[in-house]
């Protein structure tokens, strides 16, 4: 049985492990991936103290005030050239224009001016846009339909170009920075943020693509980018934090800087991003910081720059690590939850879940490593649920088995009451008022001599079956079989105020039901099988007697039990003898006949014994007891 349970549990654990491993291998999409992303969003959010923006990253906003003063888009490119020249001459480290200039402008002179500006100031960065296929042929790929470079009329060199693609996850949220993308010729084009971050980094910390090692490096340190050249980005500002310069990136209006209201010298030594900052310009994205409030693209680039400069690159563990974690938690959960049940199991589950959560958080805090959380946690929870259900089913089966076994000794109603009480079965007893029946076969020894052992067992089983059914029919407890005898208790373990009456009625039923067995035995083996019954009522100690660890017997002991046994030994074939105490409690309910005082073993004085002849009719109760005497009964037997 234990081997079978072990095999079933092992198979269940293996199926759980394979199921969650398979789901984790399906990649992005679905509720669980969304949950995983949200958990990572929460752990990556920074406190107000940690979210201090880099003071050397500043924004110039193409906001509504600028649109109102300079006119609606598209603007003349001479405006950009003028502002860029002002900033570069004032000592800005780098200037990035987050406005796509893929087509020649309407004014060739403005394009020419822009081209001269680009040639004069090599620290100016213009955007490249990759237009991806709406439907990718393979998962994980980034296949392009076209690439939009700065217009040739602007004459931007390759070193002055960076892609501005901000890729969203399936839930529309920007969580990752695409460090670089390859064009049709296989040339790697760094991200806008990479180009600008290098202006804030020391020479030995520059971020660059290493073709030989096929990876991105920050100095000598490899950047843990995935197959799509993406890394998780940190966010140092909340959306719309331009309202507070203390917590957001310094952001000034394009018009204010161009008109001189904000002096160009203000940007000396800084990296400056110029980009849309108005809702109508449609350059807004959701970030992990808010599910409703979007962040402008130019500020997302600023956060990406600071994330690259900080150099804290979080990475995701490989799929093999996630498989191993799922298997490990499944195994640990199986070993623990198969051993512990009930409240202990729930406490251990809580402790195991807390330990896993803390480990998951610490891996990010100390190692910037994300291991899969959802799938291992659900694998562990699945094992816990399976074990709880398994233990419950096993306990129900065991309870049913014990109930069936116990039901062979007491009626099912008594079993149900005992189970409902929730009381433990322990060594010890209590004083109870009960009635005890002893039954024995008369003529069993001669019968055993005449029959084969198999026949003896058959007759004995039929006799015991009659006794057992009679006891159960009247809600008694079968105490034990004593050879060819039976002991039964009424009034315990469930109290029964009328237990003397129930005991007598059970004895009468035994007598009636044994008539057919008696006739058959007389016909087949020539020896009648008749019962002798003794019934006594009174106090006795009732409870579990024996070894607490090995075996317990539920029984009754005391003088009341002993007298019932003595009455049974004095009963003639077919007689039901009751004590004076039992008679007093069933007076008027049965036809009885006084036998007289009888000397019994273990008693100094004789005891008054009465024979029960049958049930009293309703109109005769109270008078029959005195209408029959022992002499008349004996004469009737002699006549027969």
């Amino acid at each position: 049985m234990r081997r079978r349970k072990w095999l079933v549990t092992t198979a269940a654990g293996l199926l759980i492990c394979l199921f969650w491993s398979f789901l984790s291998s399906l990649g992005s999409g679905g509720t669980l991936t969304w949950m995983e992303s949200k958990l990572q969003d929460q752990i990556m959010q920074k406190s107000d103290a940690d979210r201090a923006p880099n003071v050397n990253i500043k924004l110039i906003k193409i906001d509504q005030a600028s649109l109102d003063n300079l006119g609606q888009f598209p603007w003349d490119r001479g405006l950009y050239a003028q502002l860029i020249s002002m900033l570069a001459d004032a000592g800005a480290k780098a200037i990035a224009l987050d406005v796509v200039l893929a087509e020649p402008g309407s004014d060739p002179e403005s394009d020419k001016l822009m081209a001269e500006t680009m040639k004069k100031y090599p620290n100016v960065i213009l955007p490249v846009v990759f237009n991806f296929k709406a439907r990718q042929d393979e998962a994980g790929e980034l296949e392009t339909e076209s690439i939009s470079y700065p217009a040739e009329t602007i004459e931007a060199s390759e070193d002055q170009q960076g892609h501005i693609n901000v890729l969203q996850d399936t839930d529309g949220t920007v969580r990752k920075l695409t460090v670089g993308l390859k064009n049709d010729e296989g040339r790697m084009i760094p991200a806008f943020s990479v180009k600008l971050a290098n202006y804030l980094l020391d020479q030995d910390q520059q971020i660059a693509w290493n073709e030989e090692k096929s990876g991105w490096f920050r100095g000598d340190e490899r950047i843990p980018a995935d197959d799509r050249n993406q890394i998780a980005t940190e966010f140092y500002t909340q959306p719309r934090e331009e309202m507070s310069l203390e917590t957001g990136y310094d952001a000034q209006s394009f018009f204010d800087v161009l008109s001189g209201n904000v002096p160009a010298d203000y940007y000396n030594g800084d990296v400056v991003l110029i980009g849309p900052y108005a809702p109508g310009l449609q350059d807004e994205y959701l970030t992990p910081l808010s599910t409703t409030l979007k962040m402008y693209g130019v500020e997302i680039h600023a956060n990406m720059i600071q994330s690259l400069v900080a150099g804290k690159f979080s990475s995701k563990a490989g799929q093999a690590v996630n498989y191993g974690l799922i298997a490990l938690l499944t195994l640990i959960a199986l070993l623990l939850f198969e051993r512990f049940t009930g409240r202990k199991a729930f406490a251990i589950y809580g402790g195991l879940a807390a330990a896993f959560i803390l480990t998951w958080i610490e891996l990010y805090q100390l190692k910037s490593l994300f291991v899969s959380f959802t799938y291992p946690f659900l694998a562990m929870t699945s094992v816990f649920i399976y074990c709880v259900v398994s233990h419950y089913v096993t306990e129900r089966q065991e309870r049913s088995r014990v109930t069936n076994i116990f039901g062979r000794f007491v009626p099912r109603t008594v079993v149900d009451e005992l189970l409902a009480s929730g009381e433990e079965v322990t060594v010890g007893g209590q004083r109870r008022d009960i009635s005890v029946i002893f039954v024995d076969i008369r003529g069993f020894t001669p019968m055993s001599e005449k029959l084969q052992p198999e026949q003896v067992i058959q007759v004995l089983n039929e006799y015991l079956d009659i006794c057992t059914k009679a006891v159960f029919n009247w809600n008694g407890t079968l105490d034990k079989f004593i050879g060819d005898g039976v002991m039964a208790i009424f009034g315990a373990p469930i109290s029964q105020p009328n237990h003397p009456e129930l005991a007598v009625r059970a004895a009468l039923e035994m007598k009636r039901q044994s008539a057919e067995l008696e006739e058959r035995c007389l016909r087949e083996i020539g020896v009648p099988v008749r019962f002798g019954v003794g019934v006594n009522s009174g106090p006795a100690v009732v409870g579990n007697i024996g070894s607490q660890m090995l075996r317990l017997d539920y029984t009754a002991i005391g003088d009341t039990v002993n007298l019932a046994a003595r009455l049974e030994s004095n009963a003639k074939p077919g007689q039901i003898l009751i004590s004076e105490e039992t008679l007093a409690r069933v007076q008027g309910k049965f036809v009885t006949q006084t036998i007289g005082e009888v000397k019994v073993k273990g008693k100094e004085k004789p005891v008054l014994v009465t024979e029960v002849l049958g049930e009293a009719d309703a109109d005769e109760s109270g008078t029959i007891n005195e209408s029959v005497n022992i002499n008349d009964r004996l004469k009737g037997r002699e006549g027969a």
Side-chain angles (χ1 to χ4, degrees), residues 504-523:
V504 174
R505 292 190 184 280
L508 286 172
E509 183 174 333
M510 293 178 195
K511 184 177 179 179
R512 288 193 300 270
Q513 296 297 329
S514 65
E516 181 183 347
L517 178 61
E518 178 183 354
E519 180 183 348
R520 180 155 55 83
C521 289
L522 184 61
R523 182 177 66 252

Side-chain angles (χ1 to χ4, degrees), residues 460-604:
L460 183 60
N461 285 338
E462 291 187 43
Y463 147 68
L464 296 177
D465 184 60
I466 290 173
C467 295
T468 302
K469 287 180 178 177
V471 171
F472 284 6
N473 285 343
W474 295 101
N475 293 326
T477 300
L478 183 64
D479 187 293
K480 62 175 69 71
F481 296 128
I482 313 170
D484 63 334
V486 176
M487 174 183 172
I489 304 171
F490 290 80
I494 302 300
S495 297
Q496 298 162 315
N498 63 335
H499 57 80
E501 177 186 348
L502 297 175
V504 174
R505 292 190 184 280
L508 286 172
E509 183 174 333
M510 293 178 195
K511 184 177 179 179
R512 288 193 300 270
Q513 296 297 329
S514 65
E516 181 183 347
L517 178 61
E518 178 183 354
E519 180 183 348
R520 180 155 55 83
C521 289
L522 184 61
R523 182 177 66 252
E524 294 179 0
I525 61 177
V527 178
V529 177
R530 306 185 72 183
F531 298 170
V533 183
V535 183
N536 185 28
S537 303
V541 176
V542 183
N544 298 295
I545 298 174
S547 169
Q548 173 72 42
M549 300 301 296
L550 300 177
R551 175 172 176 173
L552 294 175
D553 280 335
Y554 185 83
T555 189
I557 58 174
D559 187 61
T560 297
V561 179
N562 295 335
L563 182 54
R566 300 293 178 262
L567 292 176
E568 176 270 316
S569 64
N570 282 274
K572 295 180 174 62
Q575 268 192 328
I576 301 173
L577 300 184
I578 63 175
S579 67
E580 184 177 7
E581 179 67 24
T582 302
L583 176 64
R585 301 191 192 192
V586 299
Q587 191 75 39
K589 296 181 180 180
F590 301 96
V591 178
T592 59
Q593 176 65 60
T594 302
I595 299 296
E597 292 186 341
V598 178
K599 180 66 176 176
V600 298
K601 184 179 179 181
K603 291 285 185 180
E604 294 182 2

